[in-house]
Amino acid sequence: MIDNGLILIVDDTPTNLEVLSETLYDAGFEVAIALDGESALAQVQVGDFDLILLDVMMPGIDGFETCRRLKADSVNNNIPVIFMTALSDNESKIKALEIGAVDYITKPFHEKEVLARVKTHLKLHKLTLSLEQKVTERTTQLTEALENLKTSQLQLVNNEKMSALGNLVAGVAHEINNPVGCISGNINHTEAYSKDLFQIINIYQQACPLLPQHLQQELEALDLEFLHEDLPKTIHSIQLSTQRIKEISNSLRTFSRADSDHPILCNIHESIDSTILILKHRLKATENRPEIQIIKNYGIIPQIECYAGQLNQVFMNLLANAIDALEESNTGRSFTEIATNPNCITITTNISDEKLIISIQDNGKGITENIKTRIFDQLFTTKEVGKGTGLGLAIARQVIVEKHHGTINVHSTPKGGAEFTITIPLS
């Protein structure tokens, strides 16, 4: 015998109710009864029925209307309905099936037929519910597996990207250091040597004021006085440039920290500054626009433990996107118009509620609502083919949310620019 089920019998004839109730009860089913359609619909709202035997001809609303209302109920529309009718015309049978019934039984009843049909449809109903549950579970599992796969792929891409970029930048910084060290070490000697030479020349000129004519001509052609004035300036310029290259090299090393396996103590302001320095060439003035201004509103913040290399990649993505947005907003504007309302990126840092808050805001044309809802999705990009991968902000979100247990959000209004806000717990 199949598992017990709760069956609702709806019929306005007491004799039919008695016969059906006894037959089903003897077969091991629980039974409830209703004398009309309104009563049946009310019971369905509070009961947990497995099947309904529904008479067609009843006072008030008939069986067809009762079935229609039942099928319109999103909670109970999956309960199988078997019509009971004395109508033998095909039109009524077709109508019953069209409005949602699974079967019909013709009066007068045959007890074995009733039981056979009830058991069959209960089995089918339970199999359907079981299948739906398995489909739901499988869909959930597949969805989770897909999300895990996307996360793993994104992490792999990010790790490979950071590894390649880190190795490249670290290698460049290392290669720069050797010649810069040579220049830096020798320029000071060159400065001292030049001072010694000019001192000897001055002493010689004082000791021998009357020089041979050909030597006097050579000195005039050489413009010794100009050389004496300009050479120290040239040496000083080389010293400043050397110091600038050292700063760039240090920034490259800061940006390319190899820390993918463990967090390290990091000065966030140094990380942001190193990223800005790497993007310096994109900020400079061009023939089409003035220089993009960087406004730093740095607060007093402590060093934090973080995956510094990956966090630098987040800063790189956000700042590069801000520059792209500003470039796009300049389309159709003249140099003078842009200069009147200069392109700028504002970077703000502070501490609030034991969290580090970093804001990167541009004054571009902003982001529309439909784009904001998808902006952190993997492979979503608004850029032309070949100019964007759709991975930058997805990676940024993964680094902030999964690696640092923080949040990253975007706020934007049309023509009001865009602001990305990162929060990272200090502990």
Side-chain angles (χ1 to χ4, degrees):
M1 185 175 67
I2 66 171
D3 293 338
N4 290 343
L6 177 58
I7 300 175
L8 175 63
I9 306 172
V10 187
D11 198 316
D12 63 327
T13 304
T15 303
N16 291 339
L17 290 175
E18 183 179 353
V19 172
L20 285 172
S21 298
E22 185 177 345
T23 300
L24 294 171
Y25 184 79
D26 290 343
F29 295 103
E30 294 183 62
V31 178
I33 61 174
L35 295 173
D36 53 49
E38 287 90 345
S39 176
L41 292 172
Q43 288 195 57
V44 166
Q45 296 301 316
V46 296
D48 187 17
F49 296 101
D50 297 294
L51 186 140
I52 299 174
L53 291 172
L54 180 61
D55 188 20
V56 173
M57 305 301 293
M58 295 184 297
I61 60 172
D62 62 12
F64 293 137
E65 181 60 24
T66 302
C67 185
R68 285 194 190 95
R69 296 187 187 183
L70 180 66
K71 294 304 175 182
D73 183 351
S74 60
V75 177
N76 299 300
N77 60 7
N78 64 338
I79 302 175
V81 175
I82 299 177
F83 271 113
M84 302 180 296
T85 178
L87 301 175
S88 59
D89 60 289
N90 289 331
E91 185 177 345
S92 297
K93 296 174 183 177
I94 293 172
K95 182 178 179 180
L97 296 174
E98 285 180 343
I99 62 177
V102 297
D103 204 350
Y104 59 87
I105 300 172
T106 304
K107 297 179 181 179
F109 304 121
H110 297 282
E111 294 182 6
K112 291 184 178 180
E113 179 186 3
V114 171
L115 284 176
R117 290 178 184 268
V118 166
K119 291 179 180 180
T120 297
H121 286 293
L122 279 175
K123 285 181 180 179
L124 289 174
H125 181 54
K126 291 186 177 182
L127 286 173
T128 300
L129 292 179
S130 177
L131 180 60
E132 289 177 351
Q133 183 178 358
K134 288 180 180 179
V135 169
T136 301
E137 291 174 353
R138 188 58 176 162
T139 301
T140 302
Q141 292 173 356
L142 290 174
T143 302
E144 291 177 353
L146 180 59
E147 289 302 318
N148 290 335
L149 178 60
K150 286 183 177 179
T151 300
S152 299
Q153 288 176 332
L154 201 59
Q155 186 65 50
L156 181 61
V157 169
N158 188 34
N159 289 343
E160 291 295 326
K161 186 176 181 180
M162 287 303 301
S163 177
L165 181 61
N167 290 336
L168 174 63
V169 173
V172 170
H174 178 73
E175 291 299 321
I176 289 175
N177 281 342
N178 289 331
V180 169
C182 177
I183 295 172
S184 178
N186 288 310
I187 195 66
N188 294 329
H189 296 306
T190 302
E191 182 180 26
Y193 298 157
S194 67
K195 288 179 179 179
D196 292 342
L197 287 173
F198 281 119
Q199 185 177 1
I200 292 297
I201 291 172
N202 289 336
I203 293 173
Y204 183 78
Q205 285 180 321
Q206 292 173 7
C208 304
L210 298 176
L211 298 175
Q213 186 178 2
H214 71 281
L215 185 55
Q216 186 65 37
Q217 290 174 345
E218 288 292 334
L219 287 175
E220 290 174 358
L222 183 62
D223 196 352
L224 184 61
E225 184 177 345
F226 172 78
L227 188 63
H228 190 286
E229 179 183 347
D230 193 60
L231 183 57
K233 294 180 181 179
T234 302
I235 292 174
H236 182 64
S237 295
I238 295 174
Q239 288 173 326
L240 291 178
S241 296
T242 303
Q243 183 60 35
R244 175 68 173 159
I245 295 173
K246 283 183 177 180
E247 292 173 359
I248 293 173
S249 177
N250 290 335
S251 293
L252 291 174
R253 284 201 301 263
T254 299
F255 182 83
S256 64
R257 298 176 191 223
D259 62 340
S260 57
D261 294 331
H262 62 279
I264 62 173
L265 204 60
C266 174
N267 183 319
I268 294 297
H269 291 162
E270 285 184 358
S271 293
I272 297 174
D273 290 342
S274 71
T275 308
I276 293 172
L277 189 61
I278 292 173
L279 291 170
K280 190 76 174 178
H281 67 287
R282 295 198 60 195
L283 301 171
K284 292 180 178 179
T286 68
E287 59 181 12
N288 299 319
R289 62 157 176 79
E291 178 182 9
I292 296 175
Q293 301 175 9
I294 297 290
I295 301 172
K296 300 178 184 178
N297 296 326
Y298 287 172
I300 300 175
I301 62 175
Q303 290 189 328
I304 66 168
E305 279 198 351
C306 63
Y307 295 87
Q310 296 185 36
L311 209 53
N312 288 343
Q313 183 64 40
V314 173
F315 299 147
M316 174 69 77
N317 287 331
L318 295 181
L319 288 170
N321 283 347
I323 296 172
D324 290 339
L326 291 172
E327 294 283 12
E328 187 177 348
S329 69
N330 289 334
T331 303
R333 301 171 65 201
S334 67
F335 192 100
T336 304
E337 289 174 328
I338 300 172
T340 302
N341 182 24
N343 296 152
C344 68
I345 299 173
T346 304
I347 306 171
T348 305
T349 63
N350 58 67
I351 299 295
S352 178
D353 297 328
E354 294 299 313
K355 294 178 181 178
L356 169 63
I357 301 176
I358 305 166
S359 165
I360 298 177
Q361 182 177 16
D362 66 70
N363 63 341
K365 67 177 186 178
I367 305 171
T368 60
E369 286 297 326
N370 62 319
I371 292 177
K372 276 199 297 185
T373 58
R374 301 183 59 195
I375 200 166
F376 294 107
D377 290 352
Q378 188 175 347
L379 301 180
F380 176 76
T381 179
T382 59
K383 298 177 183 177
E384 298 176 10
V385 176
K387 291 188 176 180
T389 62
L391 294 176
L393 290 177
I395 289 174
R397 182 185 180 281
Q398 186 183 63
V399 170
I400 297 301
V401 175
E402 297 183 17
K403 300 290 284 188
H404 294 89
H405 309 291
T407 63
I408 178 169
N409 297 297
V410 59
H411 174 74
S412 179
T413 56
K415 298 183 179 180
E419 179 181 16
F420 286 84
T421 303
I422 296 169
T423 64
I424 300 176
L426 294 181
S427 58

